[in-house]
């Protein structure tokens, strides 16, 4: 992802969050974008694992889904808990969790 795409996606997510369209989802989405753009320099491995696999209450599930979408998870329709890579402690980009 290049800088222009990253900035445009963050801007779009902020605007959608402002209008009240699933704000928890967009919070997660922006967090996922940052991890995708900055890589391991953004957050810790433990935080990344938690954001990918959160199964808590509705707000946590929305944040987690947004994170997976922003990060670019595409395997198993973003169902990280069932993805073979996660079971092997790797994320969608085959990085160690």
């Amino acid at each position: 992802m290049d800088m222009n795409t990253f900035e445009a996606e963050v801007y779009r997510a902020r605007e959608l969050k402002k209008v009240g369209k699933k704000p928890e989802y967009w919070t997660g989405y922006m967090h996922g974008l940052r991890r995708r753009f900055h890589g391991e320099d953004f957050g810790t491995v433990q935080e990344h694992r938690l954001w990918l696999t959160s199964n808590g209450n509705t707000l946590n599930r929305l944040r987690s889904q947004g994170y997976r979408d922003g990060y670019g998870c595409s395997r198993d329709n973003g169902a990280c808990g069932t993805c073979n890579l996660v079971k092997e402690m790797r994320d969608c980009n085959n990085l160690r969790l």
Side-chain angles (χ1 to χ4, degrees):
M1 168 180 291
D2 65 27
M3 177 68 85
N4 289 335
T5 303
F6 171 70
E7 289 176 345
E9 285 296 306
V10 168
Y11 176 80
R12 181 176 73 94
R14 280 189 186 135
E15 293 303 306
L16 288 167
K17 183 178 176 180
K18 281 182 195 175
V19 297
K21 300 271 186 185
K22 301 188 287 184
E24 297 301 327
Y25 172 86
W26 293 111
T27 295
Y29 186 84
M30 287 185 283
H31 203 81
L33 282 173
R34 288 181 183 102
R35 177 68 180 202
R36 181 173 165 191
F37 183 73
H38 297 290
E40 292 180 5
D41 291 337
F42 182 80
T44 66
V45 171
Q46 292 82 9
E47 289 171 335
H48 181 54
R49 184 181 307 130
L50 181 64
W51 278 93
L52 282 174
T53 60
S54 179
N55 292 327
N57 61 34
T58 301
L59 295 180
N60 286 338
R61 282 193 304 272
L62 283 171
R63 284 186 210 124
S64 187
Q65 182 60 52
Y67 182 85
R68 289 189 298 268
D69 290 348
Y71 183 68
C73 288
S74 58
R75 296 176 59 102
D76 291 346
N77 295 321
C80 293
T82 63
C83 180
N84 286 333
L85 285 174
V86 172
K87 289 176 184 174
E88 295 171 10
M89 299 304 290
R90 298 198 169 276
D91 70 12
C92 300
N93 294 314
N94 206 23
L95 299 174
R96 171 109 8 244
L97 289 174

